[in-house]
Amino acid sequence: MTNKELVESLIYTKPEGLTSAVTHYCPGCTHGIAHRLLAEVIDEMGVREETIGIAPVGCAVFAYDYFNMDFAEAAHGRAPAMATGLKRVSPDKVVFTYQGDGDLASIGAGEILHAAGRGENITVIFINNAIYGMTGGQMAPTTLPGQRTTSTPLGRDVEMHGFPLRMCEILSQLDGAVYVVRRSLHNVANIRKAKKAIRQAFEVQRQGLGFSMVELLSSCPTNWGMSAAEALNWIEEHMLPAYPLGDYKVSPAISKHGGN
Amino acid sequence: MAKGRIVVNELYCKGCELCTSVCPKDLIQIAVDRFTPKGYHPAELVDPEGACTGCAICSIICPDAAITVYRWVPADKVKIKV
């Protein structure tokens, strides 16, 4: 027998993994979407009490105020090193780092490379918005050729400033990395895919398989000088060709988790 | 068609307009007549005909988790989240 009487039910609300704090992010910044997805995944896995996040230096430096779970703040770029220590002394905890492109691909390039090379059993959430956000929109290692920033006002000239770094492609070459994927946050369909990838990365860690990283293409409306919606279009038009979405490394040991 | 509604928490809404750009029914507008405590014009549901289906797409793109979504569903199919 089925009950066809209609009742109003709650479909979605702010996840418990986020605190009640109002974030300092600019309107439309996809940092907020990434935070929300992480909190939802951690809530759904029921591991909030066992999770330790590592906040970076950059726009997400106050992430410890926004996530309703244990957090540590690392020196600039050193989040993978701190995560290594925390995971090794507390192997039963879920340890993740949340890093931007200035943090992970620039000053922290050595840390991330060696953490992946050692196959540390941690999860890295890498926010790639092709610019330094917090410091005022300077060129980042991930800035696209020709892209105007405050330190490349005529556009990034590859002869003068070099080429962008593609971290997923680099890290996927390392034997210690088991799950390295790139997703985007520029529309609803891709946000759903990003959430699944984050879930998979945490499952990889929970199964003790090794290093996992999810790169999320993100927007920076303020420093790109456009509206939030225009910035999402800019990701689609300019960043997707330079940073193709996809699974760069999925170890055969990974068994697909069910559901979600 | 399912019926639903959304509630925008104006403490969190920053008026970025992403929800207005993704609503399949075009039911979300920016309330230019008032400000949030942070000084933004908030998004609001303008749905005089009850066309909102509670599809939750606006809540998926909202960077500040400001949107709470409700939907009328048969009592035997109630679940907490999509």
Side-chain angles (χ1 to χ4, degrees), chain A residues 1-6, chain B residues 74-77:
Chain A
M1 200 174 117
T2 55
N3 187 353
K4 293 295 181 196
E5 187 188 347
L6 291 178
Chain B
D76 59 340
K77 290 184 178 165

Side-chain angles (χ1 to χ4, degrees), chain A residues 37 98 130 223 232 259:
Chain A
L37 295 184
Y98 184 101
N223 287 307
L232 296 190

Side-chain angles (χ1 to χ4, degrees), chain A residues 38-51:
Chain A
L38 265 165
E40 287 173 18
V41 165
I42 289 166
D43 282 356
E44 285 166 17
M45 293 176 71
V47 295
R48 189 149 55 92
E49 294 295 323
E50 294 93 56
T51 300

Side-chain angles (χ1 to χ4, degrees), chain A residues 5 8 10-11 23 25 36, chain B residues 5 14 60 62 69 75 80:
Chain A
E5 187 188 347
E8 189 175 51
L10 180 65
I11 301 298
T23 68
Y25 300 123
R36 226 192 53 228
Chain B
R5 70 184 169 99
K14 293 173 183 163
I60 290 173
C62 177
V69 184
I80 299 302

Side-chain angles (χ1 to χ4, degrees), chain A residues 9-28:
Chain A
S9 74
L10 180 65
I11 301 298
Y12 184 86
T13 191
K14 190 180 174 84
E16 289 181 2
L18 294 176
T19 64
S20 59
V22 178
T23 68
H24 72 289
Y25 300 123
C26 305

Side-chain angles (χ1 to χ4, degrees), chain A residues 15 17 21 23 34 36 46 48 56 59 81 112 150 164 180 193 223 258:
Chain A
T23 68
R36 226 192 53 228
R48 189 149 55 92
C59 278
I112 193 70
T150 52
V180 179
K193 290 179 187 167
N223 287 307

Side-chain angles (χ1 to χ4, degrees), chain A residues 213-229:
Chain A
M213 180 174 93
V214 180
E215 174 175 346
L216 300 171
L217 299 185
S218 296
S219 69
C220 185
T222 299
N223 287 307
W224 292 356
M226 47 187 87
S227 76

